[in-house]
Amino acid sequence: MFDHILVRYGEINTKGQNRSQLEQMLMRNVQQAVKHWDEIRVRRISNRILVKLNGAPVDAVLEPLTRVFGISSLSPVMVAPLDVDAIVDVANRLLDRLEVAPRTFKVEVRRGNKRFPLDSPTLTRHVGAALLASHPSLTVDVHHPDAIVQIDVRDEGVFLYAEKIPGAAGLPVGMSGRVCALLSGGIDSPVAVWKAMKRGLQVDLVHFHSFPFTSERAQRKVEELTGTLAAWSTDLNLHLVSLTETQAAIQKSCPEELRTIILRRMMFRICEAMAHSKGWLALVTGDSLGQVASQTLEGIFAVDAVTSLSVLRPVGMEDKQDIIDRARQIGTFETSIQPYDDCCSIFAPKRPKTHPSLAEVVHGEEKLDVEQLVQTALQSVESKKIAPRLDALLQLT
């Protein structure tokens, strides 16, 4: 039925001199999303991207495209030549093939090609009259129609469609630079990663573990989460870092009530030590203000004090239920609630200090050999490239 998909982009249209670069980036991401269909061809047309299906199944192709950040909406389209009679013929076929037969309709014309002989109102009336003549049971309703026949007249041809599917919006992944995100395995950090990708960031993931105190199942859980997030981007880099010696040293030498904040300071130091070689310009965390003891303003200030990198907290001001709802939407929730401990939950203090001063924290970690612990952690790094999870793709359909 449909031989093309018309891809629209929203926020890119507001850009200035770098707009062409962003369009190329989005084009690349669209090609990546449909790479499993060799027959598909993708090309840019004015302010749009056109996906020619060449027989590929339209519903299957639409599914990954709805997760490409930077796309505002998509429409399966039928293409007609720049000829009035041909447009009427395609409009009739479009109406006949709608899944639910409409009782009312209207026609809307967008005429980007100003050389086309009929202006928009004239073409609207002409096609509307022809559809009424060939479908006697239909009536026109310009306010609340069951179906809208959209006609987009362009230099490349005329695109007809009746459906506009929302896209993932945001900016193309890669346009905002590369960052490191701390992925714990809980509910919040995957949502933070998703939000970072939506603003165009290329995200590398770092997961800290304390094997054998944390289990291999906990690591597999993080790999599953990474695969689900990769379904919104492309293959993602996952760096697994052991904190076993660091946590043992903290447990031995630091005040119990400050353990969590001191542990997070060590995580930031390790990430900063990796940042230069990986090209990371910032850190992304799933911190949400006030959610747990270490996520007070004082705790966040004490943690951020050890890094010169910018720290981004995409869910920092969000309500917990809103984060949960988003986790369900993006497909990470069911994996996140699997009951496997991460390194932050083991050795957690019974009564953590919620409002420590920076001086208290610095004093509390004086007995740590920070440089040696960072080097030990760096030597443990295991890096993987995680592909999108096909089962995650199916769950979201």
Side-chain angles (χ1 to χ4, degrees), residues 244 349 383 397:
T244 306
S383 300
T397 58

Side-chain angles (χ1 to χ4, degrees), residues 249-263 347-353 359-368:
I250 291 173
Q251 188 182 24
K252 179 181 178 181
S253 307
C254 302
E256 179 181 352
E257 67 274 16
L258 296 175
R259 282 180 190 166
T260 301
I261 289 177
I262 292 174
L263 178 65
F347 306 134
K350 293 180 180 177
R351 294 183 178 80
K353 191 156 190 173
E360 284 179 291
V361 176
V362 171
H363 178 69
E365 64 181 21
E366 279 183 342
K367 295 180 181 178
L368 291 180

Side-chain angles (χ1 to χ4, degrees), residues 182-194 206-208 218-219 221-226 228-229 264 285-287 291-292 295 315 320 323-324 326-328 330-345:
L182 281 66
L183 187 67
S184 67
I187 295 172
D188 298 352
S189 58
V191 174
V193 172
W194 182 86
V206 172
H207 174 68
F208 292 99
Q219 180 174 317
K221 170 184 171 181
V222 168
E223 292 176 1
E224 286 183 16
L225 286 171
T226 304
T228 302
L229 291 167
R264 291 186 63 76
T285 81
D287 293 344
Q291 190 176 127
V292 297
Q295 293 171 12
V315 298
K320 184 67 177 183
I323 299 172
I324 290 173
R326 180 67 75 184
R328 292 185 189 278
I330 66 177
T332 57
F333 180 77
E334 295 301 329
T335 305
S336 289
I337 62 174
Q338 293 175 14
Y340 305 129
D341 286 339
D342 59 38
C343 66
C344 289
S345 57

Side-chain angles (χ1 to χ4, degrees), residues 44 50 76 131 196 201-202 215 220-221 224 236 248 273-274 372-373 388:
R44 289 166 61 188
L50 190 62
L131 293 176
L201 289 168
Q202 182 69 55
S215 68
R220 287 199 295 273
K221 170 184 171 181
E224 286 183 16
L236 291 177
M274 299 172 66
Q372 180 58 48
L373 290 171

Side-chain angles (χ1 to χ4, degrees), residues 2 15 23 27 70 88 106 157 217 227 255 338 363:
F2 296 105
K15 304 302 178 185
E23 289 176 328
M27 176 86 171
V88 170
K106 74 172 182 179
R217 288 184 298 181
Q338 293 175 14
H363 178 69

Side-chain angles (χ1 to χ4, degrees), residues 14-319:
T14 67
K15 304 302 178 185
Q17 294 182 348
N18 60 345
R19 174 172 165 174
S20 177
Q21 180 185 355
L22 301 182
E23 289 176 328
Q24 291 176 13
M25 197 166 288
L26 180 59
M27 176 86 171
R28 182 199 64 194
N29 294 349
V30 167
Q31 290 171 324
Q32 177 72 22
V34 301
K35 67 179 181 181
H36 299 295
W37 292 277
D38 293 336
E39 65 271 37
I40 284 180
R41 295 292 178 267
V42 181
R43 67 187 176 104
R44 289 166 61 188
I45 58 176
S46 53
N47 298 325
R48 300 283 190 272
I49 291 174
L50 190 62
V51 178
K52 187 174 184 180
L53 295 170
N54 285 324
V58 62
D59 289 340
V61 176
L62 279 168
E63 202 275 332
L65 287 176
T66 59
R67 289 193 300 278
V68 176
F69 292 121
I71 293 178
S72 62
S73 66
L74 309 107
S75 291
V77 299
M78 302 175 76
V79 181
L82 293 162
D83 176 81
V84 175
D85 291 338
I87 294 171
V88 170
D89 177 60
V90 174
N92 270 306
R93 286 193 281 130
L94 179 67
L95 266 187
D96 291 340
R97 295 182 183 183
L98 292 179
E99 289 186 9
V100 179
R103 292 178 300 176
T104 60
F105 81 104
K106 74 172 182 179
V107 176
E108 290 185 353
V109 172
R110 182 186 181 93
R111 180 171 162 266
N113 180 350
K114 302 304 181 186
R115 295 185 299 278
F116 190 73
L118 301 187
D119 60 21
S120 296
T122 304
L123 183 58
T124 300
R125 289 194 297 270
H126 185 88
V127 175
L131 293 176
L132 282 173
S134 57
H135 297 78
S137 62
L138 281 177
T139 58
V140 173
D141 183 343
V142 297
H143 299 294
H144 304 289
D146 294 337
I148 302 176
V149 176
Q150 306 268 2
I151 301 174
D152 193 351
V153 182
R154 293 177 165 269
D155 294 342
E156 300 83 359
V158 182
F159 304 109
L160 294 94
Y161 55 92
E163 184 180 18
K164 185 178 282 189
I165 301 166
L171 297 170
V173 169
M175 71 151 285
S176 299
R178 182 177 288 273
V179 298
C180 159
L182 281 66
L183 187 67
S184 67
I187 295 172
D188 298 352
S189 58
V191 174
V193 172
W194 182 86
K195 282 178 167 284
M197 293 194 298
K198 185 173 182 176
R199 294 312 299 164
L201 289 168
Q202 182 69 55
V203 180
D204 291 341
L205 305 174
V206 172
H207 174 68
F208 292 99
H209 65 84
S210 288
F211 186 80
F213 301 108
T214 54
S215 68
E216 291 184 353
R217 288 184 298 181
Q219 180 174 317
R220 287 199 295 273
K221 170 184 171 181
V222 168
E223 292 176 1
E224 286 183 16
L225 286 171
T226 304
T228 302
L229 291 167
W232 292 88
S233 175
T234 182
D235 296 0
L236 291 177
N237 295 321
L238 173 63
H239 305 286
L240 302 166
V241 183
S242 173
L243 279 179
T244 306
E245 290 196 29
T246 299
Q247 286 197 276
I250 291 173
Q251 188 182 24
K252 179 181 178 181
S253 307
C254 302
E256 179 181 352
E257 67 274 16
L258 296 175
R259 282 180 190 166
T260 301
I261 289 177
I262 292 174
L263 178 65
R264 291 186 63 76
R265 283 163 61 90
M266 291 302 299
M267 291 178 178
F268 275 31
R269 287 177 173 122
I270 294 164
C271 288
E272 178 155 312
M274 299 172 66
H276 180 70
S277 63
K278 304 296 184 186
W280 299 335
L281 300 175
L283 302 179
V284 174
T285 81
D287 293 344
S288 180
L289 188 62
Q291 190 176 127
V292 297
S294 63
Q295 293 171 12
T296 61
L297 282 181
E298 293 86 349
I300 289 171
F301 179 73
V303 173
D304 288 2
V306 299
T307 182
S308 61
L309 295 173
S310 297
V311 181
L312 308 178
R313 294 182 167 86
V315 298
M317 301 298 169
E318 292 203 17
D319 184 85

